[in-house]
Amino acid sequence: MKKYLSIIALATLAIVGCSKVNLDQSAQDEETPISFQALSYVSQTKADHVHLALPQDAQFDILAYFHDEALSASTAKFFYFNDVVKNTVTGKDAATQPSTWKWETTNNTYYWPKTGMLSFYAVYPAGKATFDESNPDAGFTFDEYEVTVPYDEQADATVSEDLMLAQTLDQDCNNDADKHYTDGVALLFHHELAKVKFSAKLYDQKNYDSTAKVVKVGDVYFSAVIDEISISNIYGKGTLALNASKEYAWTPSGAKASSGKIVDMAYAPAKDATGFTIGTDVTGVGLTGAGWTKFEEEYYVLPQELPVTTATPNTDATITVKFTVYALKKTSEEGAATETFKVISKTAYDGAANSHPAFTKKLGEFKTTTTEAGDTALNEWKINTVYNYQFIIDPFEGQIYFDPCMEDWSKVDADPEIIYKDVDR
């Protein structure tokens, strides 16, 4: 599986006074130290970069190569340094003034050479990748890097799944480019994982009441609630190399795993642990057809292909949606500020015993809404990409049809009556 990551060749702000390599702190006034500026997302304009800075206390690993020509597969390159970069500006006002931050190496100060060029590779957060000092040309590697697959563990506030890489090539101290925050080598970080999100709404093409925002038939209203979304049979472990290459990819490995419960509608709208109870009054009755209900959960996943196979037992990545359809009777006055309904029936579609089947679909069978011509299959998760899976729930089954016929007339035969022509006979 190969996924191309574009080389980000952002140049540094013009820095006057190139110098030889010098690790002596006393030479700082005479030499030009290497510093960095870092952005955490792709920014198309300088105007939208305010929210793109790395956190104030962020740290990232940096790897530098020296080379005499523009970097290519055949360019001779030499290890220059490997260090950790952090923001050295602190104080009560620093958090609100990213433009004052100064991103510098932690262990040593490094200076621009007066000849040749440098190419930089960065990993955020620091400590995620390994670096083999005996073979520095191999670059950073992520050997058996693991993304927490069970959502309840991943959602823990102490677990950070984000992983970002940046590479800026062919730099010297005379490069000239936009300044985002501070002077220094511009590092534009890309997310190396993918994220999955979900949204849902009611089917609004039949019997939809736009005022009540639910489906209405006669005196009965219908809505639905998403009870659970889960994903099964996905990889959570893989290997990635980051070196002087223009193409690299995740290679998944190990056993596949399942997310467990990712989404429920316990907060939108509010409901108790067992759903809306029959016979009780409720407000905020569930999904509407007025717009998408966007769930807050974001689920990190390892980039991977999502093939559709006929393997038995089935090991394809699959999504499962469990939901409940509710029938309601309106109890508030027409036009009331807060509309209330009484639950008169509900049916769970969760695949449990004596319940209807849940919705299931192989992930590789989904289609994209915006694609290149002739390629609509959403059959892989790519790096630095968020995938929003959307579901429309129709609270009805198939159309109601009838089979009319006429019963034949019932036939009752009376006993024959003989009518004589001559009554006097």
Side-chain angles (χ1 to χ4, degrees):
M1 179 184 73
K2 288 191 175 182
K3 298 178 178 63
Y4 182 76
L5 177 64
S6 299
I7 297 297
I8 307 300
L10 294 180
T12 59
L13 186 75
I15 304 177
V16 181
C18 292
S19 171
K20 61 188 178 184
V21 179
N22 192 329
L23 303 184
D24 184 359
Q25 294 285 349
S26 64
Q28 198 164 11
D29 293 337
E30 303 173 5
E31 315 293 352
T32 303
I34 298 173
S35 61
F36 301 88
Q37 51 172 309
L39 294 175
S40 60
Y41 296 92
V42 176
S43 176
Q44 298 300 320
T45 66
K46 292 178 66 177
D48 67 356
H49 74 246
V50 174
H51 68 290
L52 303 181
L54 291 181
Q56 181 185 7
D57 59 351
Q59 297 188 24
F60 56 88
D61 293 314
I62 194 74
L63 170 63
Y65 289 103
F66 176 93
H67 46 94
D68 191 47
E69 303 176 319
L71 193 63
S72 67
S74 59
T75 302
K77 53 191 176 297
F78 305 90
F79 171 66
Y80 203 64
F81 67 83
N82 175 33
D83 211 321
V84 175
V85 176
K86 67 177 182 179
N87 169 36
T88 58
V89 176
T90 59
K92 64 177 183 178
D93 297 328
T96 59
Q97 298 178 13
S99 61
T100 66
W101 297 353
K102 191 171 185 179
W103 296 94
E104 298 178 301
T105 47
T106 302
N107 299 316
N108 284 299
T109 299
Y110 305 92
Y111 297 90
W112 287 101
K114 285 187 175 179
T115 184
M117 293 179 284
L118 300 178
S119 288
F120 301 92
Y121 300 83
V123 178
Y124 169 85
K128 291 274 190 175
T130 58
F131 177 75
D132 186 358
E133 293 185 356
S134 64
N135 183 23
D137 192 48
F140 290 130
T141 58
F142 302 83
D143 187 19
E144 296 296 286
Y145 180 87
E146 188 167 2
V147 179
T148 305
V149 175
Y151 179 74
D152 59 350
E153 297 178 21
Q154 188 180 116
D156 191 315
T158 63
V159 177
S160 176
E161 297 294 332
D162 207 359
L163 174 67
M164 295 190 290
L165 306 182
Q167 52 187 19
T168 301
L169 310 183
D170 304 338
Q171 301 292 292
D172 61 36
C173 65
N174 292 317
N175 289 131
D176 185 14
D178 289 341
K179 173 181 174 180
H180 292 285
Y181 285 109
T182 61
D183 297 345
V185 178
L187 292 173
L188 187 60
F189 282 91
H190 285 247
H191 298 279
E192 294 308 306
L193 302 178
K195 281 197 295 188
V196 173
K197 298 183 68 175
F198 310 95
S199 53
K201 67 178 181 178
L202 278 182
Y203 185 62
D204 62 357
Q205 299 302 305
K206 54 190 180 188
N207 301 103
Y208 185 69
D209 186 321
S210 59
T211 300
K213 296 184 175 59
V214 291
V215 175
K216 180 184 179 183
V217 181
D219 293 330
V220 183
Y221 295 79
F222 296 90
S223 189
V225 168
I226 299 287
D227 296 308
E228 178 179 325
I229 298 178
S230 61
I231 294 175
S232 58
N233 295 322
I234 59 172
Y235 288 107
K237 185 181 293 185
T239 299
L240 177 68
L242 174 60
N243 50 39
S245 168
K246 293 184 179 180
E247 183 173 339
Y248 53 92
W250 284 102
T251 303
S253 60
K256 293 182 177 181
S258 300
S259 68
K261 183 177 182 178
I262 302 175
V263 162
D264 67 48
M265 289 186 68
Y267 60 90
K271 65 183 181 68
D272 62 29
T274 59
F276 297 127
T277 304
I278 294 176
T280 59
D281 287 340
V282 296
T283 58
V285 293
L287 295 173
T288 74
W292 294 100
T293 294
K294 298 179 180 180
F295 298 102
E296 296 174 354
E297 291 83 355
E298 293 186 348
Y299 180 55
Y300 284 93
V301 292
L302 188 80
Q304 59 193 275
E305 293 179 347
L306 303 169
V308 177
T309 70
T310 57
T312 303
N314 185 9
T315 58
D316 291 344
T318 302
I319 194 166
T320 299
V321 180
K322 299 179 180 180
F323 61 97
T324 302
V325 174
Y326 291 88
L328 312 118
K329 174 73 173 178
K330 192 171 184 180
T331 55
S332 61
E333 295 293 332
E334 196 67 33
T338 300
E339 293 185 324
T340 58
F341 299 84
K342 186 182 294 293
V343 179
I344 56 178
S345 177
K346 66 176 184 178
T347 299
Y349 292 79
D350 58 10
N354 302 318
S355 293
H356 294 263
F359 171 84
T360 60
K361 188 179 181 70
K362 294 183 178 181
L363 287 172
E365 295 176 337
F366 279 83
K367 305 294 183 182
T368 58
T369 55
T370 55
T371 61
E372 297 178 1
D375 182 18
T376 61
L378 205 169
N379 54 12
E380 64 177 334
W381 287 330
K382 297 181 179 180
I383 58 174
N384 199 40
T385 307
V386 178
Y387 296 91
N388 181 24
Y389 289 90
Q390 299 176 315
F391 303 98
I392 301 175
I393 296 181
D394 186 346
F396 302 117
E397 300 291 343
Q399 182 176 343
I400 298 174
Y401 292 96
F402 300 91
D403 182 18
C405 65
M406 293 187 297
E407 185 176 0
D408 198 7
W409 291 100
S410 296
K411 299 177 181 178
V412 178
D413 294 328
D415 287 339
E417 178 71 25
I418 301 174
I419 301 175
Y420 295 99
K421 186 175 181 179
D422 185 352
V423 298
D424 294 331
R425 184 175 176 182

